[in-house]
Amino acid sequence: MAKTKKSELSRNDIREPSIIVKPIARLGGLDNIHMALLVLVVILILLLLFVSYTARTPPPSNTTSGLNCTYGAVNGSCVNPIHNASQIRHDVEMLLANYGAINGSVSVLPYTSNVAAMSISYLPSSGSWYVSVPLSVQSSKPVYFSVLVNDRDTSQMVPFIQTVKPGSINSNYVVSDGVIRIANQTSCGTEKPLNVYWFVDPYAPGGISTLNNLTSLESHFGSNVNFSVKILFTQYYQQTAQQYGANKTQVLDAYLFCASRQGNGKFSSFVSNLDSIYTNAYVAPAVLANVSINAGLNASSMNSCLSNFALVSTAQIEQAKYYGIPSSPAVLTDCQYLSIPQTARQAICYANSTLC
C-alpha cells in the first residue's frame, strides 16, 4: 500500500509546460534590426528613382553661357544654320518686290516696307528664320510685314500679314524705302541727266493727280533729272474704251504724253488745269484742246505729236512689258529702280545720292 501511494504522489508532482504569448509591439512585431533594413531599402529605391530621372536627356536649351554664338546655342553647342542673315534678308527683299506685280492692294507692300529696320531671327527649334519688316503706313500702332522662312528651302515662305503670296519669285528686291531694284537691268547710261520714266494710265484712280508729284520733282531737281511720261493701257483704259471706243479714249493719253514733251513749265500748268476738271471719266477732245490752249502749249508741236501718238504708244506698251511695269502709276528711275510716285524721290536719291 505504501508503494502505491508513493507512485500516486509522483504523478501529482508532474506539471504541464506553459506557453507564454506576448502582446504585439507598436512596430508590428519587428525588432530594430528589421526596421533598419526596411528603411535602407526605401532609401535605395528613392536613390534609384533620382538617378533615373536625372539621367534623362535634358530638353533643348538656348543657353549661350560661356559661348559666343551668332545664332544661339542648343544643348551647349552653337547653332549653325545653312543660310546666314544676309542671305535671308535678300530673299525677303525679293519677296517684297514681287508683291508689286500683284494686281491688288498688296502691291503697295514693297513701297511701304522699311527694309532698313528689318529684324531677322533664327529659330533653332524649327529650323526657320523669323523676319519682321515695319511698314510705313498711317496707323496709331506700328504695322509689320512678317514672314517665316525655311532654312533648308528658302523658297518656302509663310507671310503673316495676309494669305496672298506671289505665285513665283523673281530676282527683284527692295533696296530702300519704297524702291525696288529690278534684277538684270543696268543704268540707262552714265551721262547726265538722270532718266526717270513716269508710267501712267490717266484713267486709273489717281493717275492724273500723281502727275503733280512729277512736276514738283521736276521743279526741285531741275536739269539734273530728265522726266518722261509713258502711257500705260490698263484695265481702266479698257473699261473706258468699251464705252467710248478706242480712238476717242486715246485722245486723253495722247494729249498727256504730248504736253509732257513741252518745257518751260508748260506741262506743270497743263497738269494743274487738267487735274482741276478731271473726274476719272472720259474727257472730250474739245475740252482737252482748251486745257492745252490755257496752259500755253505750242499748238504746232502738239498737233505734230498727236498725229504720231499711235506709233509712240505701241513702243511704250513694249517698254512697259520689258521692265515688268505691272500697274499705274509706276516710276522707273535710271532704267533699274522701280517706285511709285510717292517714293520717286527716294529712288532718285538712291540712284544718285549726290542729287539729295
Side-chain angles (χ1 to χ4, degrees):
M1 288 295 293
K3 187 176 181 179
T4 304
K5 290 179 178 180
K6 184 178 181 181
S7 176
E8 290 175 355
L9 181 60
S10 298
R11 286 195 300 271
N12 291 334
D13 292 336
I14 299 173
R15 297 179 180 180
E16 295 291 336
S18 60
I19 300 175
I20 299 176
V21 179
K22 295 182 179 180
I24 298 176
R26 62 186 179 88
L27 297 177
L30 299 175
D31 54 23
N32 292 336
I33 296 177
H34 287 87
M35 285 302 301
L37 290 174
L38 285 175
V39 172
L40 181 60
V41 170
V42 172
I43 293 175
L44 290 174
I45 292 174
L46 292 176
L47 182 61
L48 181 62
L49 291 174
F50 176 78
V51 172
S52 175
Y53 178 80
T54 56
R56 295 177 182 174
T57 302
S61 172
N62 288 335
T63 301
T64 59
S65 177
L67 296 174
N68 184 17
C69 302
T70 303
Y71 302 108
V74 173
N75 298 331
S77 300
C78 289
V79 172
N80 295 307
I82 299 173
H83 300 85
N84 58 44
S86 297
Q87 293 170 321
I88 298 301
R89 168 183 288 274
H90 185 69
D91 289 338
V92 173
E93 288 171 346
M94 289 195 300
L95 174 68
L96 285 168
N98 280 265
Y99 275 103
I102 295 178
N103 188 13
S105 60
V106 294
S107 63
V108 301
L109 276 176
Y111 308 108
T112 58
S113 301
N114 185 5
V115 293
M118 183 186 301
S119 174
I120 306 174
S121 302
Y122 182 65
L123 308 177
S125 59
S126 63
S128 301
W129 295 83
Y130 178 76
V131 182
S132 180
V133 185
L135 298 179
S136 302
V137 296
Q138 293 182 349
S139 174
S140 58
K141 296 181 180 180
V143 179
Y144 297 90
F145 171 85
S146 301
V147 59
L148 202 63
V149 184
N150 189 313
D151 185 45
R152 291 186 176 275
D153 183 2
T154 57
S155 66
Q156 295 184 17
M157 301 183 184
V158 181
F160 294 141
I161 196 170
Q162 72 289 304
T163 57
V164 179
K165 182 178 177 238
S168 60
I169 304 296
N170 59 35
S171 298
N172 297 351
Y173 57 98
V174 177
V175 294
S176 181
D177 295 352
V179 183
I180 294 175
R181 171 71 164 86
I182 302 178
N184 303 321
Q185 294 296 339
T186 58
S187 171
C188 297
T190 56
E191 71 280 357
K192 295 181 179 181
L194 186 72
N195 287 304
V196 175
Y197 301 147
W198 205 281
F199 289 86
V200 60
D201 178 354
Y203 293 102
I208 295 294
S209 61
T210 58
L211 290 171
N212 290 305
N213 296 68
L214 184 157
T215 56
S216 176
L217 292 172
E218 191 173 39
S219 175
H220 176 78
F221 289 104
S223 61
N224 292 314
V225 179
N226 179 33
F227 290 89
S228 300
V229 172
K230 307 287 184 179
I231 301 301
L232 281 177
F233 298 93
T234 69
Q235 68 269 28
Y236 300 101
Y237 165 83
Q238 298 295 338
Q239 292 171 4
T240 307
Q242 289 176 1
Q243 184 175 0
Y244 296 96
N247 291 334
K248 290 184 178 180
T249 302
Q250 280 192 17
V251 173
L252 174 59
D253 300 322
Y255 265 91
L256 191 61
F257 170 76
C258 293
S260 69
R261 298 175 66 84
Q262 298 205 13
N264 299 322
K266 294 181 180 180
F267 179 59
S268 177
S269 179
F270 177 85
V271 170
S272 178
N273 293 339
L274 180 61
D275 190 29
S276 65
I277 66 167
Y278 189 65
T279 59
N280 289 324
Y282 171 75
V283 182
V287 175
L288 292 170
N290 288 332
V291 172
S292 176
I293 293 172
N294 292 333
L297 300 182
N298 183 284
S300 176
S301 297
M302 281 294 294
N303 291 332
S304 176
C305 178
L306 291 172
S307 62
N308 294 317
F309 177 72
L311 296 176
V312 173
S313 64
T314 301
Q316 292 184 352
I317 291 174
E318 295 302 318
Q319 191 175 33
K321 290 180 180 179
Y322 177 75
Y323 287 109
I325 306 298
S327 58
S328 171
V331 182
L332 181 66
T333 300
D334 198 26
C335 298
Q336 54 185 331
Y337 299 110
L338 188 62
S339 65
I340 56 178
Q342 292 80 354
T343 62
R345 181 184 176 89
Q346 289 93 306
I348 293 171
C349 293
Y350 189 87
N352 187 346
S353 59
T354 62
L355 299 179
C356 301

